[in-house]
């Protein structure tokens, strides 16, 4: 299998050009169900497999799960900034460096699942209360040329859930 398919098992993220109410509901539902899906998949992985990379040159399963907690906490905060500020410029972080920190390399996947359960519960509750205009609010992400709407950011994080879940599921094959 080629490296591109190993890196992007569901394909690279493509920013949507149109966003429907059905899209927003589906992406929110992805966030709603993700912690339970991730926990179920992790239950099938032996402890000694958590510290092996999910692909050659990639993070270990443990680093990947801990990355998900880090990333989704950051995204939740980005949503809150965007709701309370006018087109905030968000701060990025070096996800590679964070994954190499001791808590990323050896931290408990159980603790990261708990973080994801809590953050997703709060995040989805917030999204369920959004009106259509809230999804149109924008932020400036330094990795994208144009400002992103919260609808576009939601699509990115729904993709992010599926993307990394596919990495982990691949280890079961």
């Amino acid at each position: 299998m080629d490296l591109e398919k190993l890196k992007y098992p569901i394909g690279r993220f493509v920013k949507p050009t149109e966003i429907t109410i059905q899209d927003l509901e589906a992406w929110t539902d992805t966030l709603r169900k993700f912690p339970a899906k991730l926990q179920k998949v992790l239950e099938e992985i032996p402890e000694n497999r958590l510290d092996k990379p999910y692909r050659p040159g990639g993070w270990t399963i443990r680093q990947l799960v801990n990355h998900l907690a880090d990333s989704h906490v950051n995204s939740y905060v980005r949503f809150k900034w965007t709701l309370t500020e006018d087109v905030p410029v968000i701060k990025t972080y070096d996800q590679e460096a964070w994954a190499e920190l001791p808590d990323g390399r050896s931290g408990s996947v159980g603790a990261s699942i708990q973080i994801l359960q809590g953050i997703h519960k709060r995040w989805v509750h917030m999204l369920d209360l959004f009106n259509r205009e809230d999804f149109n609010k924008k932020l400036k992400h330094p990795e994208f040329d144009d400002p992103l709407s919260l609808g576009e950011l939601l699509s990115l994080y729904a993709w992010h859930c599926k993307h990394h879940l596919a990495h982990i599921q691949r280890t079961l094959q």
Side-chain angles (χ1 to χ4, degrees), residues 1-11 167 170:
M1 182 159 286
D2 68 70
L3 187 58
E4 180 73 8
K5 187 68 176 164
L6 290 173
K7 284 183 175 181
Y8 300 99
I10 65 167
H167 285 144
R170 177 172 299 289

Side-chain angles (χ1 to χ4, degrees), residues 34 38 54 59-75 78 93-101 103-109 112-113 115-116 119-120 157 159-161 163-165 167-168:
F34 179 68
L38 178 61
Y54 69 92
W59 289 335
T60 66
I61 302 297
R62 183 180 310 278
Q63 285 174 297
L64 191 57
V65 173
N66 292 332
H67 157 73
L68 284 161
D70 292 340
S71 176
H72 291 207
V73 165
N74 272 284
S75 183
R78 291 169 180 172
Y93 67 100
D94 184 341
Q95 65 182 14
E96 297 292 333
W98 282 35
E100 292 299 326
L101 290 171
D103 68 319
R105 290 197 66 73
S106 63
S108 164
V109 295
S112 286
I113 290 292
I115 289 168
L116 287 163
I119 230 40
H120 278 243
Y157 276 87
W159 172 86
H160 193 250
C161 291
H163 168 69
H164 286 311
L165 190 61
H167 285 144
I168 295 168

Side-chain angles (χ1 to χ4, degrees), residues 123-173:
W123 197 0
V124 167
H125 177 72
M126 179 175 57
L127 292 168
D128 284 342
L129 297 173
F130 269 24
N131 59 49
R132 183 68 169 125
E133 292 75 38
D134 290 329
F135 287 105
N136 293 328
K137 292 182 179 181
K138 296 186 181 273
L139 61 88
K140 180 64 181 124
H141 191 301
E143 294 173 6
F144 292 87
D145 293 332
D146 297 321
L148 290 174
S149 71
L150 288 181
E152 292 166 333
L153 192 62
L154 177 59
S155 74
L156 173 63
Y157 276 87
W159 172 86
H160 193 250
C161 291
K162 294 174 183 178
H163 168 69
H164 286 311
L165 190 61
H167 285 144
I168 295 168
Q169 288 170 322
R170 177 172 299 289
T171 69
L172 298 172
Q173 298 171 352

Side-chain angles (χ1 to χ4, degrees), residues 35-101:
K37 284 184 175 184
L38 178 61
Q39 184 173 20
K40 184 170 176 40
V41 169
L42 288 172
E43 288 170 357
E44 299 177 39
I45 299 175
E47 181 69 25
N48 67 348
R49 180 64 183 101
L50 293 176
D51 294 315
K52 293 183 179 170
Y54 69 92
R55 67 169 171 81
W59 289 335
T60 66
I61 302 297
R62 183 180 310 278
Q63 285 174 297
L64 191 57
V65 173
N66 292 332
H67 157 73
L68 284 161
D70 292 340
S71 176
H72 291 207
V73 165
N74 272 284
S75 183
Y76 176 69
V77 170
R78 291 169 180 172
F79 269 73
K80 291 181 88 83
W81 278 332
T82 306
L83 290 170
T84 60
E85 298 177 20
D86 186 31
V87 192
V89 176
I90 59 115
K91 179 167 177 16
T92 60
Y93 67 100
D94 184 341
Q95 65 182 14
E96 297 292 333
W98 282 35
E100 292 299 326
L101 290 171

